[in-house]
Amino acid sequence: MSRPSPGGALVAEADVLVIGGGPAGAWAAVAAAEAGAEVVLADKGYCGTSGSAASGGNNLWYLPPDPARREAAIAARETLAGHLTDRRWMARVLDETYRQVNRLADWGYPFPEDEDGVERRGSLQGPEYMRRMRRRAHRSGVRILDHHPALELLVTPEGAAGGAAGIRRQLGCAPWEVRAGAVVLATGGCAFLSGAFGLNVDTGDGHLMAAELGAELSGMEFSNAYALSPAYGSHTKGLMMQFATYYDEDGRALEVGGMARRPIARLLADGRPVHARLDQAPPELRAAMRQAQPNYFLPLDKAGIDPFTQAYPVRMVLEGTVRGTGGLRVTGEGCATTVPGLFAAGDVATRELITGAVSGGGSHNGAWAISSGTWAGAAAAAHAARGRPTSAAPAGGAGLRPSGPPGAPDAAEVVAAVQQEVLPLERNYFRTAEGLRRSLDTLDGLWRHVATHLSGEGRDALRARQAAAMVAHARWMYRAALARAESRGMHQREDLPAPDPRLTHRIRAGGLDEVWTAPEEAAA
């Protein structure tokens, strides 16, 4: 239900509001609608095209219900992930992904077939996948609001999530507000506007909005996921790089240990060039690689480089909590957060439960988007059945409602200052206690400025909120990195290079003006 307002403003009600139109948001919207809820989905961009999944191929953690194969997959991941995973959640994700991908086939997704005529369902082509999901959401009765970025959540007098508000980007940035009985956040992780392919919509907005209602986070120290891309490109598909040989500036092959990135990162951090050549790719696979990830090859083709026979320069691009594992802490099987009525799906939620201390890459993260979206949507619909809120107030603070007069620096300058602390390899990849504390001093001061002075109108309001979200995100991840006084998974401390068995637990984080961390025991 919606009612007209002057100046293009939109005021509406729904049972469930989904914020974010990537895979997790689309699955959440479909699940909530199938549970009988009236659903509105608000996307920062155009649902079906925005985000990382829509721009390339998506591998999935998809296994048939073979107990031996699934047990082996779970056991292998447990060790790799630093023993921070949860077996029960991993099994649930495998079950749910298998079930929903098979439904996707029923909806007409054209899976390729092998030489025996068996469909290969372990990967999806992003554009076709998201086109199907948008259509499915429409057919399920979901109302989609494209180009409607959310700026803040609404909170009920009882402290529950009661909807959200934002701007209508293509309608003069008129305001919109949707009051809802439950909210699913599916806003993605935070890549700090690093320029990684498809990730500049991922600025941590959902984390900030949730934290303003008191939500907790987990795994934020596992946020320094960098990926390799051609030096003059931004496409960061790691699958290609399993076939790469790396070379230093003198053409000597580097010993990098399979998919390990540390020697490469060291050279790049020291300002020395690194080149890659995909010469380990079997000739019979090369055409399929081009077909699976055409965007990876496009800049190389334009440069006249055959990546299978010629070396090309590479760089490491921060993907933050998009490929990292940190995010909003989930407290139940429906992906509820620590805030009543607020659910999390996809990369905005922690993926420690299935990926622990290492990146979920595309496959585990893709499976998590499907599973967590389905669970969050269904749980949100059940929660909303209790009724819609009779009143709810805007909850946004930093970047929207400063406590003092507007003042410099502006949003662009704040973003540049955050990037200076989080993008360089020598600060975020090669971590030390001294370096983390030094960055936190800068970031804490930046937060005080943002909370006191930063604001904007129209599109500038969105820029200001994104800047505030990135500052908050950086503080959570560095505070958690300082609390994890060891090296584990992707979190590597130069000053503490070994794992500490006493820290085999997850670390919770939260707070805005005062950021805190606390241990959480991992499930047995």
Side-chain angles (χ1 to χ4, degrees), residues 56-57 125 235 240 289-299 301:
Q125 285 295 320
H235 206 278
M240 299 298 153
M289 291 168 64
R290 283 186 170 278
Q291 185 177 14
Q293 301 287 353
N295 287 327
Y296 186 86
F297 294 93
L298 188 60
D301 291 341

Side-chain angles (χ1 to χ4, degrees), residues 244-258 261 263-265 267-268 272-276 280 314:
T245 302
Y246 298 96
Y247 302 89
D248 67 11
E249 60 214 285
D250 298 319
R252 292 179 296 222
L254 300 172
E255 295 291 334
V256 298
R261 299 282 187 262
I264 298 171
L267 288 173
L268 292 172
R272 298 174 58 188
V274 175
H275 293 74
Q280 299 181 54
V314 294

Side-chain angles (χ1 to χ4, degrees), residues 154-162 213-214 338-341:
L154 307 180
V155 60
T156 71
E158 296 78 25
L213 267 61
T338 50
V339 175

